[in-house]
Structures are given as C-alpha cells and as structure tokens.
Amino acid sequence: KTIEPHVITMWDQVVALDPGSPRSWLGRAQVREALGDAEGASADRAKARQLSPRSSTIRVELGGEEEEGGDD
C-alpha cells in the first residue's frame, strides 16, 4: 500500500488534538515509517512508550522494540 504524503498532516493534527494518547503517536509513527522517515517514526514510538510504558498493547505494537528503555 502506498501512503499519500498528505496523510502525515492528518496525523500531525491527531497528535495536536490528543498529545496524551499513545495511539496518536503510534499512528503517526506508522505513517512516518511508511513515508521513509525512520528517525521521526522512532521519535514518535519513543513518545508513545513514554506515555504508556507498561501498556501491553503498546509493547505488542512496538514488537518489543527497546523494551529496556524508559526508566522513569
């Protein structure tokens, strides 16, 4: 599937409307990854992890990525 570049703008709005939601950050991370923005995707995943470090849903979506990070 090809993602249109304007989709990131929509996810930027989702994050702006609900910055406390890990799902907002994960959604934008997926779009950034699909658009080739690995650094931005990684930053968004880190933010989702920070917002909900113990969430099993977040861990599943992240695929166990950097499980040891997040010593709050």
Side-chain angles (χ1 to χ4, degrees):
K1 253 182 177 177
T2 301
I3 294 185
E4 298 293 326
H6 72 274
V7 174
I8 193 65
T9 302
M10 289 188 280
W11 277 103
D12 288 341
Q13 292 172 355
V14 169
V15 168
L17 288 170
D18 195 2
S21 169
R23 289 226 167 259
S24 297
W25 294 93
L26 284 177
R28 190 171 74 173
Q30 291 172 341
V31 172
R32 283 182 159 181
E33 190 74 40
L35 292 173
D37 180 6
E39 187 175 323
S42 180
D44 283 354
R45 287 191 297 269
K47 181 65 176 180
R49 189 179 310 107
Q50 175 191 3
L51 290 169
S52 191
R54 300 193 194 291
S55 169
S56 60
T57 301
I58 300 301
R59 285 195 308 262
V60 167
E61 294 209 19
L62 294 173
E65 176 185 300
E66 298 178 31
E67 285 185 32
E68 294 183 25
D71 290 2
D72 286 356

